[in-house]
């Protein structure tokens, strides 16, 4: 029997925060740009070499990197989803979650006691609003292709005829 609460309480938060911090520090982009050893990654990102080695070991075990003869390479999954400038990247969401959402998690206990939420749309400062917008672009960018392939398209539209569509709550 596996102690699932231990996985949820100890392992998953560490994994989540490691991925968020790696993205925020530029680790994925550093490797994509040619920094492929622990020392190179640490220097490029301004990180401690020992800590970077530990981070890279975890991220490799999680499938973000492969490792061979002292060098790291991005996996196909990491290249698609974590690099800043890839079309389907979720980098903006990673940044928002690390810099804005993660601190909010400290308030979850208060919410559970009072039922009063954060109402974050009303309380984001200019920088947080920018991160939020980047996160929404990341969320829609990663989902738009899939949605576009699955949404039913009426025959008149396929034939090039004009029609109307109501977008409810589509954000940007």
């Amino acid at each position: 029997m596996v102690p699932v609460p231990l996985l949820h309480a100890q392992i998953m938060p560490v994994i989540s925060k490691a991925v968020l911090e790696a993205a925020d520090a530029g680790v994925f982009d550093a490797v994509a740009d040619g920094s492929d050893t622990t020392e190179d990654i640490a220097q490029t990102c301004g990180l401690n070499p020992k800590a970077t080695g530990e981070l890279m070991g975890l991220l490799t075990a999680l499938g973000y990197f492969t490792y061979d003869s002292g060098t790291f390479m991005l996996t196909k999954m990491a290249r698609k989803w974590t690099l800043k400038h890839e079309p389907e990247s979720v980098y903006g969401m990673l940044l928002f979650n690390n810099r804005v959402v993660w601190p909010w998690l400290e308030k979850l206990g208060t919410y559970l006691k009072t039922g009063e939420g954060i109402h974050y749309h009303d309380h984001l400062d200019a920088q947080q609003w920018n991160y939020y917008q980047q996160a929404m672009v990341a969320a829609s960018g990663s989902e738009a292709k899939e949605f576009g392939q699955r949404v039913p398209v009426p025959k008149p539209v396929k034939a090039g005829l004009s029609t109307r569509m109501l977008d409810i709550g589509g954000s940007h």
Side-chain angles (χ1 to χ4, degrees):
M1 199 165 187
V2 176
V4 173
L6 182 61
L7 294 174
H8 293 164
Q10 182 180 7
I11 305 301
M12 290 181 179
V14 171
I15 289 171
S16 180
K17 190 63 170 162
V19 172
L20 295 174
E21 289 291 342
D24 204 338
V27 169
F28 300 108
D29 284 289
V31 174
D33 292 341
S35 297
D36 57 4
T37 67
T38 300
E39 294 75 22
D40 290 342
I41 298 163
Q43 183 174 1
T44 299
C45 299
L47 303 173
N48 175 279
K50 178 182 178 295
T52 301
E54 293 167 0
L55 175 66
M56 296 306 293
L58 175 61
L59 295 174
T60 300
L62 294 172
Y64 289 90
F65 296 97
T66 59
Y67 179 79
D68 184 35
S69 303
T71 62
F72 293 93
M73 292 168 286
L74 285 165
T75 61
K76 183 178 177 183
M77 176 276 294
R79 186 169 296 284
K80 178 178 182 176
W81 300 111
T82 66
L83 298 181
K84 291 178 190 176
H85 302 294
E86 286 297 314
E88 296 181 60
S89 173
V90 297
Y91 174 80
M93 186 64 75
L94 298 173
L95 209 61
F96 176 68
N97 285 346
N98 195 45
R99 295 185 182 183
V100 180
V101 175
W102 196 269
W104 288 347
L105 295 176
E106 293 178 8
K107 300 175 185 198
L108 181 57
T110 302
Y111 168 71
L112 293 173
K113 290 177 185 174
T114 66
E116 293 183 29
I118 295 173
H119 304 289
Y120 63 90
H121 287 100
D122 300 331
H123 300 288
L124 295 172
D125 63 31
Q127 186 63 54
Q128 291 171 329
W129 187 255
N130 183 44
Y131 293 138
Y132 174 74
Q133 291 302 315
Q134 290 177 46
M136 296 302 99
V137 168
S140 66
S142 65
E143 298 165 356
K145 183 178 177 182
E146 184 74 21
F147 180 76
Q149 292 172 346
R150 296 184 184 274
V151 68
V153 178
K155 288 180 184 178
V157 174
K158 287 182 181 178
L161 300 174
S162 64
T163 187
R164 292 181 177 198
M165 180 173 93
L166 176 60
D167 179 0
I168 301 174
S171 186
H172 56 282

